[in-house]
């Protein structure tokens, strides 16, 4: 298991624990002290039952916005237990991959397991774009296309189906029992279904859950492609498409799953290509729009690559040939945005020079544009946080005033805790009295550990001694997430914090202790909180 522990820690340190929540500060700890963190995971493994009882996995659940009016539950697991969960799945991931339809069949494009030591990546670089391009190729050979996806996929996966699939692996050992115990602890009381959404461990298990469906389709020589819960099936005519759709529905029903009625359609191959033309390589037709060019640029960039500087310059040059602000302007002029194009355009802003970044940021944060951009609000906040320090002073002032006005006007965008968590991160980039008052108010009026933990770290970073000293007396009533953040924040209190830590450290878990040890060496050097 040692190698699996190290792989899990490296993956999380390099890429975060989920792609939904803000990175917890434990990701920095995993990066700085991987061997010590691996020792903690070994302790969890050797004392699994005792640890599950003494300090069981704590999980934050929040709604995540999907589209304009849709929502789904997402979960952030306590970081060390999340790493342990990932390590257990990684240990079996090779066996799980061996059960899937081989990638050479060009059928299943999602989350093909392949550990990459140098980068800490778990999956091969097959993307949604690769899936779409393959579907376009198949549409030229098949006149009729069924497009569909599974409704509420992750929350509906039955645990006993996962348990059965794990038991059929060549050598699951006792990891099957441990994984199932973790899944049970992550679920709501008396509920035996659902995988935590957002992390790679659940993605691997979700792929395992669909192995039987994939093989049934393949055995019956049905031409199809799948990426996670999205299916495209290719047929000779509408009648065959209808029968194939019924067959897929029956297969999924046997797994406790159903298709999304609103997203299920039978269309002609020509219609499919027309709606997917943004994924065609540039030059395949007369469309040479900036949107097409942008979608054909890979924005993935590895700063640790031996050719990082050259790669970045090439990326900047490619993005420089596209009018990013123009694309955003056209998107916000629509009744409903194309989220794929909008996200790509927003992420491309990172490569622009600061003066151009400022103009682009003003476009996406313009109050008249935010409503139509609401499905990508988190993407906007992530972008703004990443470029904030590089913006010109007047652009930072614009960001601050715009975001503060969202709170004062009780914007619906801030009614979702997950959105609010990213909002708090951006607010925390620069101190002001108005912001300090806002964060204190949010701490008192919200119960989400996700929000309160961020606020503790930001106010500690701002040296708000008076507030931290008062909160110290309420430590016992804080959640485990907030308690660990306060352990770090207590270093701002100097001798008062030292005395407090000596008094309460006996109540700490091994995870709290290693976080304290790491931070007591880090804080004297830079006096910064890991926000």
């Amino acid at each position: 298991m040692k190698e699996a522990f190290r792989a899990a820690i490296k993956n999380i340190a390099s890429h975060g624990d989920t792609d939904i929540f803000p990175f917890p500060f434990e990701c920095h700890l995993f990066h700085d002290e991987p061997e010590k963190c691996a020792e903690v995971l070994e302790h969890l493994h050797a004392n699994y039952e005792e640890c599950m009882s003494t300090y069981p996995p704590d999980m934050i659940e929040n709604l995540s916005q999907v589209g304009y009016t849709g929502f789904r539950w997402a979960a952030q697991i306590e970081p060390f237990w999340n790493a342990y969960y990932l390590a257990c799945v990684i240990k079996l991931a090779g066996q799980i991959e061996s059960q899937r339809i081989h990638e050479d069949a060009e059928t299943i494009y999602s989350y093909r397991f392949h550990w990459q030591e140098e980068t800490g990546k778990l999956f091969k670089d097959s993307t949604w774009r690769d899936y779409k391009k393959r579907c376009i190729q198949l549409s030229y050979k098949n006149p009729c296309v069924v497009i569909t996806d599974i409704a509420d996929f992750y929350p509906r996966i039955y645990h006993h189906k996962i348990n059965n699939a794990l038991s059929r692996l060549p050598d699951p050992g006792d990891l099957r029992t441990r994984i199932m115990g973790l899944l049970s602890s992550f679920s709501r009381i008396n509920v035996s279904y659902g995988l935590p959404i957002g992390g790679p461990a659940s993605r691997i298990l979700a792929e395992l859950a669909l192995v039987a469906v994939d093989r049934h389709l393949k055995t019956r020589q049905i031409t199809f492609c799948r990426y996670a819960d999205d299916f495209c099936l290719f047929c000779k005519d509408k009648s065959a498409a209808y029968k194939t759709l019924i067959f897929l529905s029956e297969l999924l029903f046997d797994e406790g799953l159903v298709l999304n009625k609103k997203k299920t359609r039978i269309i002609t191959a020509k219609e499919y290509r027309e709606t997917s033309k943004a994924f065609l390589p540039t030059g395949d037709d007369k469309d040479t729009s900036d949107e097409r060019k942008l979608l054909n640029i890979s924005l993935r960039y590895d700063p640790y690559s031996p050719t990082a500087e050259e790669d970045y310059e090439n990326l900047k040059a490619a993005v420089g040939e596209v009018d990013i602000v123009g694309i955003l302007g056209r998107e916000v002029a629509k009744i409903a945005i194309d989220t794929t194009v909008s996200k790509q355009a927003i992420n491309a802003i990172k490569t622009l020079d600061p003066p151009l970044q400022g103009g682009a940021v003003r476009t996406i944060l313009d109050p008249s544009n935010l409503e139509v951009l609401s499905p990508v609000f988190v993407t906007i906040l992530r972008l703004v946080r990443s470029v904030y320090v590089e913006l010109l002073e007047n652009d930072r002032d614009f960001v601050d005033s715009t975001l503060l006005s969202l709170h004062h006007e009780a914007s619906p965008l801030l009614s979702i805790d997950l959105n609010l968590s990213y909002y708090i991160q951006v607010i925390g980039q620069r101190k002001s009295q108005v912001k300090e008052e806002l964060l204190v108010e949010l701490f008192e009026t919200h119960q989400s550990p996700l929000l309160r933990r961020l606020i503790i770290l930001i106010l500690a970073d701002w040296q708000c001694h008076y507030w931290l000293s008062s909160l110290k007396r309420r430590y016992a009533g804080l959640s485990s997430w907030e308690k660990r953040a306060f352990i770090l924040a207590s270093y701002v209190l100097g001798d008062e914090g030292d005395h407090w830590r000596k008094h309460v450290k006996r109540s700490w878990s091994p995870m709290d202790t290693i976080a304290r040890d790491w931070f007591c060496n880090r804080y004297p050097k830079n006096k910064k909180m890991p926000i």
Side-chain angles (χ1 to χ4, degrees):
M1 286 295 296
K2 288 185 178 181
E3 290 306 311
F5 292 147
R6 292 189 178 97
I9 288 167
K10 183 162 187 176
N11 173 260
I12 294 170
S14 302
H15 306 287
D17 60 340
T18 78
D19 61 354
I20 296 175
F21 289 82
F23 286 5
F25 65 74
E26 286 86 352
C27 289
H28 301 293
L29 169 55
F30 290 170
H31 180 272
D32 294 346
E33 299 286 357
E35 292 304 318
K36 290 182 180 179
C37 291
E39 290 174 7
V40 173
L41 299 193
E42 289 177 25
H43 172 77
L44 295 180
H45 190 65
N47 304 278
Y48 175 75
E49 297 293 342
E50 179 186 348
C51 291
M52 285 284 283
S53 175
T54 307
Y55 30 84
D58 197 1
M59 190 169 70
I60 296 173
E61 288 188 290
N62 282 122
L63 282 176
S64 172
Q65 186 171 351
V66 181
Y68 284 96
T69 56
F71 304 94
R72 66 176 181 178
W73 281 105
Q76 185 170 49
I77 304 164
E78 191 284 325
F80 282 90
W81 278 110
N82 180 60
Y84 181 71
Y85 170 47
L86 178 56
C88 290
V89 175
I90 286 175
K91 186 67 175 178
L92 297 180
Q95 296 182 50
I96 292 173
E97 184 65 28
S98 71
Q99 304 299 300
R100 303 175 66 188
I101 294 175
H102 197 276
E103 61 184 318
D104 288 348
E106 298 183 293
T107 301
I108 312 299
Y109 282 83
S110 47
Y111 310 120
R112 308 301 315 215
F113 179 76
H114 176 65
W115 170 243
Q116 300 167 61
E117 177 69 34
E118 186 175 339
T119 61
K121 291 181 179 179
L122 292 174
F123 305 117
K124 293 186 177 180
D125 292 332
S126 58
T127 65
W128 170 262
R129 188 176 288 107
D130 298 323
Y131 159 74
K132 292 294 289 185
K133 288 181 177 179
R134 176 57 178 163
C135 288
I136 289 169
Q137 290 175 357
L138 291 172
S139 75
Y140 284 104
K141 301 177 182 178
N142 301 271
C144 206
V145 182
V146 179
I147 54 174
T148 189
D149 72 10
I150 303 171
D152 299 324
F153 178 40
Y154 280 64
R156 290 178 179 234
I157 295 175
Y158 280 109
H159 289 176
H160 75 272
K161 293 288 187 178
I162 295 290
N163 191 23
N164 291 340
L166 287 171
S167 69
R168 289 191 286 267
L169 295 178
D171 183 22
D174 71 340
L175 289 177
R176 175 180 64 86
T177 303
R178 291 172 183 251
I179 290 170
M180 297 314 300
L182 289 167
L183 292 181
S184 179
S185 72
F186 298 154
S187 298
R188 294 183 175 91
I189 298 174
N190 297 324
V191 170
S192 59
Y193 53 83
L195 297 178
I197 297 173
S202 293
R203 290 171 181 163
I204 293 170
L205 293 179
E207 292 297 324
L208 176 63
L210 289 178
V211 165
V213 173
D214 293 337
R215 293 207 167 275
H216 272 297
L217 294 172
K218 185 72 172 176
T219 300
R220 283 156 180 77
Q221 298 182 329
I222 294 170
T223 303
F224 77 102
C225 279
R226 181 177 65 78
Y227 191 96
D229 56 353
D230 286 279
F231 284 85
C232 266
L233 304 101
F234 302 88
C235 307
K236 62 180 181 180
D237 54 39
K238 193 170 184 179
S239 176
Y242 192 73
K243 292 176 182 177
T244 301
L245 182 58
I246 292 173
F247 180 61
L248 175 60
S249 298
E250 291 172 341
L251 292 176
L252 292 171
F253 184 79
D254 289 341
E255 301 297 325
L257 303 169
V258 296
L259 293 175
N260 189 322
K261 296 177 183 177
K262 292 183 179 179
K263 294 184 179 180
T264 300
R265 296 169 61 203
I266 298 176
I267 59 176
T268 67
K270 184 178 179 181
E271 285 178 286
Y272 180 78
R273 289 193 295 274
E274 183 63 26
T275 58
S276 305
K277 64 181 181 180
F279 295 94
L280 286 165
T282 305
D284 276 19
D285 63 13
K286 296 179 181 179
D287 183 1
T288 57
S289 64
D290 280 341
E291 285 80 356
R292 168 72 68 80
K293 293 177 183 176
L294 179 63
L295 288 175
N296 278 278
I297 298 172
S298 173
L299 296 178
R300 288 176 298 183
Y301 164 68
D302 181 4
Y304 303 106
S305 166
T307 59
E309 187 174 340
E310 180 183 351
D311 293 344
Y312 186 69
E313 290 303 318
N314 290 336
L315 178 58
K316 284 185 67 175
V319 172
E321 295 180 1
V322 178
D323 181 6
I324 300 298
V325 176
I327 291 174
L328 291 169
R330 288 189 288 276
E331 287 299 310
V332 298
K334 299 176 180 178
I335 296 175
I337 61 169
D338 181 322
T339 56
T340 302
V341 171
S342 296
K343 285 182 178 180
Q344 187 84 338
I346 291 165
N347 288 324
I349 293 172
K350 296 176 186 177
T351 67
L352 302 178
D353 293 327
L356 295 176
Q357 282 181 344
V361 166
R362 285 173 179 268
T363 297
I364 58 179
L365 283 183
D366 187 302
S368 63
N369 294 336
L370 277 178
E371 183 176 352
V372 73
L373 288 172
S374 62
V376 293
F377 186 59
V378 164
T379 305
I380 290 172
L381 293 174
R382 282 174 167 170
L383 176 276
V384 174
R385 182 182 182 233
S386 70
V387 303
Y388 186 91
V389 296
E390 300 171 4
L391 294 174
L392 301 177
E393 183 76 13
N394 62 334
D395 291 326
R396 289 200 295 269
D397 291 341
F398 173 82
V399 169
D400 290 347
S401 64
T402 301
L403 293 185
L404 286 171
S405 69
L406 290 180
H407 174 72
H408 297 321
E409 296 166 7
S411 169
L413 291 170
L414 302 185
S415 60
I416 304 168
D417 282 349
L418 189 59
N419 288 2
L420 193 53
S421 67
Y422 283 102
Y423 172 86
I424 288 170
Q425 280 195 323
V426 180
I427 288 292
Q429 293 296 299
R430 187 167 59 164
K431 181 180 180 180
S432 75
Q433 182 62 34
V434 174
K435 290 181 181 181
E436 188 174 320
E437 293 170 4
L438 169 60
L439 292 181
V440 171
E441 176 191 339
L442 291 174
F443 189 90
E444 298 299 332
T445 56
H446 287 73
Q447 296 304 311
S448 169
L450 176 65
L451 306 181
R452 289 161 63 99
R453 174 167 142 125
L454 283 170
I455 292 169
I456 290 171
L457 293 173
I458 292 170
L459 292 180
D461 199 52
W462 289 356
Q463 301 288 310
C464 295
H465 305 91
Y466 74 95
W467 186 82
L468 293 170
S469 184
S470 175
L471 184 63
K472 173 170 60 69
R473 296 193 295 272
R474 299 158 56 187
Y475 175 80
L478 300 179
S479 70
S480 61
W481 294 82
E482 296 161 66
K483 286 179 176 178
R484 191 175 301 164
F486 190 81
I487 292 171
L488 274 57
S490 69
Y491 280 85
V492 171
L493 296 175
D495 291 342
E496 181 185 354
D498 292 340
H499 176 75
W500 173 81
R501 288 191 298 276
K502 290 175 184 177
H503 179 69
V504 300
K505 66 180 182 181
R506 283 172 294 184
S507 65
W508 295 347
S509 71
M511 295 86 98
D512 295 332
T513 300
I514 193 175
R516 186 279 313 271
D517 293 344
W518 161 73
F519 194 68
C520 75
N521 292 322
R522 175 188 174 107
Y523 184 69
K525 299 174 185 176
N526 59 20
K527 301 294 182 182
K528 293 289 292 179
M529 288 287 137
I531 303 167

